[in-house]
Amino acid sequence: MSQSIPTPHYLIDAAALRRNMEKVARLRELSGAKALLALKCFATWSAFDDMRPFMDGTTSSSLYELRLGRTKFGGETHAYSVAWAEDEIDEAVGYADKIIFNSIGQLERFADRAEGIACGLRLNPQISTSGFDLADPARPFSRLGEWDSEKIAGVLDKISGFMIHYNCENEDFALFDRQLTDIENRFGNLLAQVAWVSLGGGIHFTGEGYPLEALAARLKAFAERFGVQVYLEPGEAAITRTATLELTVLDILHNGKDLAVVDSSIEAHLLDLLIYRLPAKIAPDEGPHRYMICGKSCLAGDIFGEFAFPERLKVGDRISVQDTAGYTMVKKNWFNGVKMPAIAIRDVDGTLRLVRSFGYEDYEASLS
Amino acid sequence: MSQSIPTPHYLIDAAALRRNMEKVARLRELSGAKALLALKCFATWSAFDDMRPFMDGTTSSSLYELRLGRTKFGGETHAYSVAWAEDEIDEAVGYADKIIFNSIGQLERFADRAEGIACGLRLNPQISTSGFDLADPARPFSRLGEWDSEKIAGVLDKISGFMIHYNCENEDFALFDRQLTDIENRFGNLLAQVAWVSLGGGIHFTGEGYPLEALAARLKAFAERFGVQVYLEPGEAAITRTATLELTVLDILHNGKDLAVVDSSIEAHLLDLLIYRLPAKIAPDEGPHRYMICGKSCLAGDIFGEFAFPERLKVGDRISVQDTAGYTMVKKNWFNGVKMPAIAIRDVDGTLRLVRSFGYEDYEASLS
């Protein structure tokens, strides 16, 4: 635990991160694929020293992520954005090793200004593994990438590679294998004409029991068939189960159920739980005492979920919400002025480091 | 427009704000009720000079909002929080004129430390006007306030008033009237024993055609019947239709529909559209050319909505999203590292003031 640091705080466990990183490194070694951290998921740069030796660099979804990746992580730096602005493109090219355009329109507008670095195009294979329409890049009328092979063939002279991001926490290697075969069949002609292909993120290869060797072999076969350098862009897979959100119980109520109010808010600190209507994870979630864990914001639905505890909860008890590294710190906000969680890292040797804390001045300066 | 300020930016229209404020002032005058700005909805303190003459002060949902209200707005300052922490309570009492506890447990724990200022309790009438379960304080097992009259009667010696927040953008005066009568019937015995009652926010009395005089008379009758000072806590009603989010079209795509990608993201800048699955408002939404307006984040569902335009859109066009003052700037976040909108105010005399802009350094410092 991290009792010496006041709650709320996100606590990153460098030992857990190391275990994921070793799987990333092994996949790179076996497959020949390069692995770039997807900063949209996790951009807590104080942890980058623990990741850099195991990954090739970063990929981004905006100019600011790109700059963070170049300056704080280093290595190979991919620039992607759904749409670059006129006044961003030169700066973006300055940071990037490769720039990936989302549309043929963007490619044609900006390719001239990206001379000197590799250009790529996002290819949308119109398949996806996401169970959430909100997160499905293959949803109808998707703006995410191009899918018309003929149109794409017309701009092949401007690009040296493709980015194809269509997986979403996909734990099923057989499904990955089948869908990649679909892509090979449908777009093989294009893939054979480029030098590199990024298969994006969303492959949950660091999960317990994932057949890493089979994935590596499949990626290697893909690379050899088309003569391409393969990239992966792990986000969640890189940092899954490496952080907790440490909270304190502030009040206990009995309104038909036993409720515990904690010093946090899902809307402010774990936003995806609210957006996707998902419960938080609390371990071990066992015992005779059941509580609904509630946030302290004004939102009626600010509920972490219902969980079992071995003992009755009381004011002052500590609660650790599990698996809170991905898509959390990058989305935290000042809703209700709820105190923003600090960020701490427990190093591999057990040392606890507080790397950022936020106070009233930060709240005031978030507005004007 | 505000062509001289780069997009994206929130643009607050002080003339529109003045129109709302004059309605607030008129309601206060006719009813005798006091009006406190609910900072959870709008806390852009550069606009407070334009609001202070028309309102009595602020109410809050956390220590930081409370401190902002005391230091930046002044006037009467109400402190409310779903749960105060042990290490917050003394500081909170130092800023507040009244402190309102959410539960009898919190009241009993902290009443001694609030000596010298008025104490109140949140009363949950178990009715609500919200169409969204997420935002309904009367939802089953709600943690928001006490509803057992007998238990409440047992702590009346510790409080001088109640806060009853149960409306949500309620435009229907007849419904308000009926529900207030229900509350009078059910809790009249308690109400007659306190000095003040806050009826919370959510009454849309600044809306076009709202019967302000009837509301004022109803509030006055309520106040006289129980011998209480009535408070209202307008959030959205105070700032409705006073701001736009100014955006630029970055790309046009044709993927079965005509799509325009703008330099913003609903998740990052207009979060409630994503949480409540609502479309943005674009005016006048008329003309022969229909576009799906899309955000530039990686989220497939980052869609502002589909709107009609008089002319074909092209890269570089400006788009103004309407009615973006409430629950927007207070929730903005760095998702995807998308550039955070600046905040500008167009004064009543037409002068444009840029009051806050955000850059890469702010993004980097949001993490660690």
Side-chain angles (χ1 to χ4, degrees):
Chain A
M1 301 304 295
S2 53
Q3 300 293 346
S4 57
I5 299 175
T7 63
H9 63 267
Y10 302 100
L11 176 59
I12 298 167
D13 178 351
L17 187 57
R18 176 70 61 87
R19 287 193 290 276
N20 287 351
M21 289 296 106
E22 284 167 352
K23 289 185 183 178
V24 174
R26 181 158 164 74
L27 181 64
R28 291 162 71 201
E29 192 186 313
L30 293 174
S31 68
K34 294 187 179 181
L36 306 178
L37 176 65
L39 296 172
K40 65 184 177 181
C41 174
F42 181 84
T44 308
W45 40 270
S46 294
F48 287 175
D49 285 347
D50 296 311
M51 306 177 84
R52 196 179 295 106
F54 305 91
M55 302 189 75
D56 295 283
T58 58
T59 189
S60 52
S61 51
S62 69
L63 178 63
Y64 288 174
E65 282 188 1
L66 169 62
R67 180 169 168 188
L68 189 84
R70 167 57 73 203
T71 55
K72 296 287 188 183
F73 199 108
E76 190 162 344
T77 307
H78 284 202
Y80 167 74
S81 173
V82 169
W84 298 102
E86 178 69 31
D87 62 0
E88 291 181 333
I89 193 74
D90 296 331
E91 187 180 351
V93 168
Y95 300 128
D97 294 297
K98 294 187 173 64
I99 186 163
I100 297 153
F101 295 101
N102 180 67
S103 71
I104 290 175
Q106 284 256 310
L107 171 67
E108 291 186 328
R109 194 169 313 122
F110 294 127
D112 286 353
R113 288 161 70 178
E115 273 181 15
I117 65 169
C119 288
L121 181 66
R122 180 165 183 173
L123 191 157
N124 184 329
Q126 300 186 296
I127 51 176
S128 159
T129 70
S130 177
F132 290 101
D133 179 59
L134 263 183
D136 179 4
R139 76 206 311 256
F141 317 115
S142 173
R143 72 200 187 293
L144 301 172
E146 298 280 355
W147 53 68
D148 182 327
S149 294
E150 270 186 55
K151 279 169 63 184
I152 297 169
V155 296
L156 275 179
D157 61 317
K158 293 190 167 59
I159 60 174
S160 60
F162 290 110
M163 188 271 273
I164 318 176
H165 174 54
Y166 62 104
N167 285 284
C168 183
E169 295 197 43
N170 182 4
E171 306 173 281
D172 180 348
F173 170 68
L175 174 63
F176 173 79
D177 179 30
R178 262 196 325 275
Q179 291 192 329
L180 190 59
T181 301
D182 287 348
I183 290 171
E184 291 175 323
N185 292 339
R186 184 157 159 214
F187 298 104
N189 179 44
L190 295 171
L191 301 176
Q193 298 181 64
V194 294
W196 55 272
V197 175
S198 167
L199 294 172
I203 309 167
H204 210 60
F205 64 85
T206 53
E208 207 65 50
Y210 191 94
L212 200 71
E213 288 74 13
L215 175 64
R218 185 67 182 87
L219 296 175
K220 197 168 182 183
F222 177 90
E224 286 169 358
R225 175 169 171 189
F226 298 104
V228 293
Q229 170 65 52
V230 169
Y231 289 87
L232 297 177
E233 301 174 358
E236 187 62 41
I239 49 69
T240 191
R241 291 173 300 135
T242 64
T244 53
L245 177 58
E246 298 292 318
L247 307 177
T248 299
V249 174
L250 299 182
D251 196 18
I252 300 284
L253 300 102
H254 311 280
N255 290 344
K257 291 185 179 179
D258 287 330
L259 313 181
V261 180
V262 294
D263 55 351
S264 176
S265 154
I266 60 168
E267 179 158 1
H269 307 156
L270 296 173
L271 181 56
D272 278 2
L273 300 189
L274 183 59
I275 292 174
Y276 296 103
R277 272 72 166 165
L278 293 169
K281 297 177 195 163
I282 287 188
D285 193 15
E286 285 169 8
H289 303 287
R290 199 159 179 82
Y291 287 86
M292 183 185 278
I293 305 298
C294 307
K296 62 165 281 180
S297 82
C298 66
L299 181 73
D302 188 0
I303 308 293
F304 289 73
E306 292 187 43
F307 308 97
F309 294 87
E311 309 284 342
R312 288 219 149 272
L313 290 180
K314 56 187 190 309
V315 172
D317 281 354
R318 182 74 77 96
I319 288 186
S320 300
V321 183
Q322 303 296 306
D323 202 8
T324 62
Y327 298 103
T328 54
M329 292 171 258
V330 293
K331 298 185 179 191
K332 63 188 161 33
N333 62 75
W334 284 108
F335 176 56
N336 265 216
V338 177
K339 192 164 168 34
M340 192 169 273
I343 302 175
I345 300 180
R346 194 196 297 107
D347 286 329
V348 173
D349 68 5
T351 311
L352 199 63
R353 279 189 290 146
L354 176 66
V355 294
R356 180 78 164 94
S357 58
F358 301 90
Y360 171 78
E361 290 69 22
D362 296 290
Y363 166 65
E364 187 182 297
S366 77
L367 292 160
S368 67
Chain B
M1 300 306 294
S2 52
Q3 301 293 345
S4 57
I5 299 175
T7 62
H9 63 269
Y10 301 100
L11 176 59
I12 298 168
D13 178 351
L17 188 56
R18 176 69 61 88
R19 288 192 289 277
N20 287 352
M21 288 296 107
E22 285 167 352
K23 289 185 184 180
V24 174
R26 182 159 162 73
L27 181 64
R28 290 161 71 202
E29 192 186 311
L30 292 174
S31 68
K34 293 187 179 181
L36 307 177
L37 176 65
L39 296 171
K40 66 185 178 181
C41 173
F42 181 84
T44 307
W45 41 268
S46 294
F48 286 176
D49 285 347
D50 295 312
M51 307 177 83
R52 196 178 295 108
F54 304 92
M55 301 189 76
D56 295 284
T58 58
T59 190
S60 52
S61 51
S62 69
L63 177 64
Y64 288 175
E65 282 187 0
L66 169 62
R67 180 170 169 187
L68 189 83
R70 167 58 75 202
T71 57
K72 295 287 190 184
F73 199 107
E76 191 163 344
T77 307
H78 283 203
Y80 167 74
S81 172
V82 169
W84 298 103
E86 178 69 30
D87 63 359
E88 290 180 333
I89 193 74
D90 296 332
E91 188 181 351
V93 168
Y95 299 130
D97 294 297
K98 294 187 172 64
I99 186 162
I100 297 154
F101 295 102
N102 180 66
S103 71
I104 291 175
Q106 285 255 309
L107 172 67
E108 291 185 328
R109 194 169 312 120
F110 294 128
D112 286 353
R113 287 161 71 177
E115 274 181 12
I117 65 169
C119 288
L121 182 66
R122 180 165 183 173
L123 192 158
N124 184 329
Q126 300 186 295
I127 52 177
S128 157
T129 70
S130 177
F132 290 100
D133 179 61
L134 262 183
D136 179 2
R139 77 206 309 256
F141 318 114
S142 173
R143 71 198 187 293
L144 301 172
E146 298 281 354
W147 54 66
D148 182 328
S149 293
E150 270 184 57
K151 279 169 63 182
I152 296 169
V155 296
L156 275 180
D157 60 317
K158 292 191 168 59
I159 62 174
S160 60
F162 290 110
M163 189 270 273
I164 317 176
H165 174 53
Y166 61 105
N167 285 283
C168 183
E169 296 199 42
N170 182 4
E171 306 173 280
D172 181 346
F173 171 68
L175 174 63
F176 173 80
D177 179 29
R178 259 195 329 274
Q179 291 191 328
L180 191 58
T181 301
D182 287 347
I183 291 171
E184 291 175 322
N185 292 339
R186 185 158 159 213
F187 298 103
N189 179 45
L190 296 170
L191 301 176
Q193 298 181 63
V194 294
W196 55 272
V197 174
S198 168
L199 294 172
I203 309 168
H204 210 60
F205 64 85
T206 53
E208 207 64 51
Y210 191 93
L212 200 71
E213 288 74 15
L215 175 64
R218 185 67 182 87
L219 296 175
K220 197 169 182 183
F222 177 89
E224 287 171 357
R225 174 168 172 188
F226 298 105
V228 292
Q229 172 64 53
V230 169
Y231 289 87
L232 296 177
E233 301 175 357
E236 186 63 39
I239 49 67
T240 190
R241 290 173 302 136
T242 63
T244 54
L245 177 59
E246 298 293 317
L247 307 176
T248 298
V249 173
L250 298 182
D251 196 18
I252 300 285
L253 300 104
H254 311 280
N255 290 344
K257 291 185 180 182
D258 286 330
L259 313 181
V261 180
V262 294
D263 54 352
S264 176
S265 155
I266 61 168
E267 179 159 1
H269 307 156
L270 297 174
L271 181 56
D272 279 1
L273 301 188
L274 182 59
I275 291 175
Y276 296 103
R277 275 68 167 166
L278 293 170
K281 297 176 194 162
I282 287 188
D285 193 16
E286 284 168 9
H289 303 287
R290 198 160 179 81
Y291 287 85
M292 184 186 277
I293 304 297
C294 307
K296 62 166 282 184
S297 83
C298 66
L299 180 73
D302 188 1
I303 308 292
F304 288 73
E306 291 187 45
F307 308 96
F309 295 88
E311 308 285 341
R312 289 218 147 275
L313 290 180
K314 56 188 190 308
V315 172
D317 281 354
R318 181 74 76 97
I319 288 185
S320 299
V321 183
Q322 302 296 305
D323 202 8
T324 62
Y327 297 103
T328 54
M329 292 171 257
V330 294
K331 299 186 178 190
K332 62 188 163 31
N333 62 74
W334 283 109
F335 176 57
N336 264 217
V338 177
K339 191 165 167 35
M340 192 169 272
I343 302 175
I345 299 179
R346 193 198 296 109
D347 287 328
V348 174
D349 69 4
T351 311
L352 200 62
R353 279 188 292 146
L354 177 66
V355 294
R356 180 76 166 96
S357 58
F358 301 91
Y360 171 77
E361 290 69 21
D362 296 290
Y363 167 65
E364 188 182 294
S366 77
L367 293 160
S368 67

